[in-house]
Amino acid sequence: MKGVLLSGGTGSRLRPITHTGPKQLVPVANRPVLEYAIEDLKEAGITEIGVILGNKGRNEIQELLGDGSDYGVEITYIVQGNPLGLAHAAGCARDFVGNDDFVMYLGDNILKSGVTELVESFQAGDYGAGIALQEVDDPQAFGIADVDDAGNVTQLIEKPDDPPTNLALIGMYVFSPTIFDAIDNLEPSWRGELEITDAIQDLFEDGYEIDSHVVTGWWKDTGKPEDILEANRLVLEDKKLKTAGVVEDGATTDGRIELAESAVIEDGAVVRGPVSIAENTTLMSGTYVGPYTSVGADSTLENIHIENSVIIGDSEITANGRIVDSLLGRGANVGSADELLPEGRRLVVGENSQLKL
Amino acid sequence: MRIITHTCSACGTVVAANELEDNRVMKCPGLGCQEVLRFDDLSEDAREHFLDHRDRYQI
Ligand SMILES: [Zn+2]
């Protein structure tokens, strides 16, 4: 079994965060989203991983993952270039995959329970493909599968008006190498892409059984800022958090706190977990860091009250105010305008930023 | 749709034909690899197929 990890895409819904890097490297609980996928594949016993690169962020992704040895896996890079669809991405991996089965994992997805059960379920039968499903409240907005009592897929429908089930396809698949022949025979869809659901549907029509596995733990597609915050909350909730850094006398802490060895919570700061504070970051007196917040490396916080937020790193946040439900890009600084005249907020805001003042 | 790729002989990075055709001659996108990749590295059959269906490989 091999792994194919998709790391392309434009990240347009995460601008301006993705103006400077690929969406798969946005951190959740201070780790790039993509690392969770690598760990999930490894946990499922998959150590040969093809990483599909699009037009954006190729070097950053290669710099992070390298040859995979830091993660105990072997990585081959596959440059898809133009985003011609998931089936095109899979097809580009044909030479890498060879005659093996493979898991295809969307690199901006994150899920609680990993892919081990999906793989085991696929391996328990003689399937052409296996798909991960999750129950959703708004099936009209998703690709939906209909399944029989044995869990075999009988139909796939994209955003149905009248959904037969509420089981949505999430971005995890297992394929036998027969999928490549199905991809070869595909025609681009109305949007000019090779659709993976069309390839699976073709396998089904050719008589292959398609397995399904319903994922019960949480699953998040981290395509939008609110999804990053939600994923950050879910991971902090579940993750084992270790306090290795310095908590000074006079600091108030409560709950689970991940504090990197070189990070400091100074006298007069208040931290309520679950939170994650990365390397070389200092929380100075008067700072309050509330639940579900991740503060990236090399940052200084003073006076600010922040909760349910992600600060990516290299930031100085020294305003005397409250920040909630926010995502701050690398190098973003928030200072105080209290002493400045005329009274008012002063902004240098990048393209596609969103502010609520 | 036939998907055509080329594998860099120096570093093993796989490159899709649409990427090669965009550039014709390019430095291998494998980080730190100095190999030069060319659209002409593809077999004649692959190149012909690609060029005959070129519009499908654009978006
Ligand atoms: Zn190379």
Side-chain angles (χ1 to χ4, degrees):
Chain A
M1 182 77 66
K2 288 186 175 137
V4 171
L5 180 54
L6 272 66
S7 311
T10 58
S12 57
R13 293 176 301 160
L14 265 173
R15 289 174 186 152
I17 304 296
T18 46
H19 280 313
T20 50
K23 60 179 172 176
Q24 294 83 3
L25 299 192
V26 174
V28 165
N30 280 321
R31 290 187 76 188
V33 170
L34 201 53
E35 287 190 1
Y36 294 94
I38 298 271
E39 300 253 302
D40 281 351
L41 290 169
K42 195 183 161 201
E43 197 185 279
I46 297 162
T47 55
E48 287 173 83
I49 300 172
V51 174
I52 310 268
L53 304 172
N55 283 322
K56 206 179 154 112
R58 291 175 188 176
N59 288 353
E60 290 93 331
I61 289 169
Q62 292 184 71
E63 273 162 20
L64 174 76
L65 300 179
D67 63 2
S69 53
D70 286 355
Y71 302 88
V73 299
E74 251 178 71
I75 290 176
T76 300
Y77 292 99
I78 300 164
V79 179
Q80 178 192 15
N82 288 339
L84 299 173
L86 293 186
H88 179 263
C92 289
R94 187 172 198 161
D95 286 349
F96 162 74
V97 168
N99 283 322
D100 282 319
D101 297 330
F102 66 105
V103 170
M104 187 161 97
Y105 193 131
L106 300 195
D108 57 350
N109 278 215
I110 183 164
L111 75 172
K112 181 185 171 83
S113 50
V115 292
T116 305
E117 288 179 6
L118 173 70
V119 169
E120 285 173 357
S121 178
F122 172 85
Q123 285 174 330
D126 186 18
Y127 298 107
I131 58 177
L133 301 173
Q134 189 169 56
E135 291 186 8
V136 293
D137 295 330
D138 49 344
Q140 288 87 353
F142 291 87
I144 294 295
D146 201 358
V147 298
D148 66 17
D149 293 344
N152 288 347
V153 176
T154 56
Q155 199 188 6
L156 295 172
I157 325 151
E158 194 55 38
K159 298 183 181 169
D161 293 328
D162 186 17
T165 70
N166 63 347
L167 296 171
L169 274 86
I170 65 174
M172 316 282 154
Y173 311 84
V174 200
F175 293 117
S176 68
T178 47
I179 194 75
F180 294 120
D181 296 327
I183 292 169
D184 252 359
N185 293 326
L186 282 186
E187 294 295 324
S189 66
W190 60 272
R191 56 174 178 173
E193 295 189 12
L194 292 184
E195 309 288 349
I196 200 69
T197 44
D198 289 346
I200 299 169
Q201 188 73 34
D202 285 358
L203 282 188
F204 176 67
E205 281 161 18
D206 284 348
Y208 287 95
E209 289 198 334
I210 312 298
D211 183 36
S212 73
H213 172 69
V214 178
V215 172
T216 49
W218 53 260
W219 156 71
K220 243 16 244 177
D221 164 357
T222 60
K224 301 196 293 285
E226 55 268 36
D227 299 326
I228 294 287
L229 298 183
E230 173 78 357
N232 185 63
R233 192 180 72 71
L234 293 165
V235 171
L236 286 176
E237 189 94 294
D238 281 354
K239 197 179 169 189
K240 240 184 133 185
L241 304 176
K242 185 171 154 238
T243 304
V246 177
V247 181
E248 289 186 358
D249 291 345
T252 307
T253 59
D254 177 20
R256 296 178 306 117
I257 297 167
E258 180 171 68
L259 188 67
E261 208 174 318
S262 50
V264 185
I265 303 175
E266 290 190 352
D267 179 7
V270 178
V271 180
R272 300 209 189 282
V275 304
S276 172
I277 314 291
E279 307 82 57
N280 299 316
T281 283
T282 303
L283 309 182
M284 295 172 73
S285 181
T287 306
Y288 171 86
V289 177
Y292 309 115
T293 301
S294 293
V295 184
D298 304 309
S299 298
T300 305
L301 274 61
E302 186 177 13
N303 295 324
I304 195 76
H305 173 128
I306 187 163
E307 58 187 70
N308 199 46
S309 294
V310 171
I311 298 170
I312 292 181
D314 294 317
S315 280
E316 274 199 34
I317 316 234
T318 56
N320 193 354
R322 275 170 68 99
I323 295 177
V324 298
D325 304 345
S326 296
L327 174 59
L328 276 79
R330 185 169 301 284
N333 297 321
V334 183
S336 171
D338 287 353
E339 309 290 314
L340 303 177
L341 290 172
E343 201 176 297
R345 295 179 165 113
R346 284 153 176 81
L347 311 171
V348 179
V349 174
E351 283 172 49
N352 310 106
S353 296
Q354 304 164 46
L355 292 95
K356 288 197 171 71
L357 300 174
Chain B
M1 184 170 115
R2 179 170 164 193
I3 297 170
I4 302 159
T5 58
H6 174 68
T7 301
C8 171
S9 57
C11 74
T13 295
V14 179
V15 183
N18 42 285
E19 182 76 15
L20 290 173
E21 203 268 344
D22 266 359
N23 297 285
R24 287 282 160 169
V25 178
M26 64 188 282
K27 193 177 97 41
C28 173
L31 200 64
C33 181
Q34 299 304 319
E35 195 74 3
V36 173
L37 307 181
R38 293 179 174 81
F39 184 65
D40 291 345
D41 293 338
L42 297 171
S43 70
E44 195 182 333
D45 166 59
R47 272 179 286 153
E48 253 175 41
H49 180 90
F50 184 91
L51 294 172
D52 287 348
H53 303 90
R54 195 168 173 278
D55 54 319
R56 295 174 156 215
Y57 296 93
Q58 315 289 323
I59 195 153

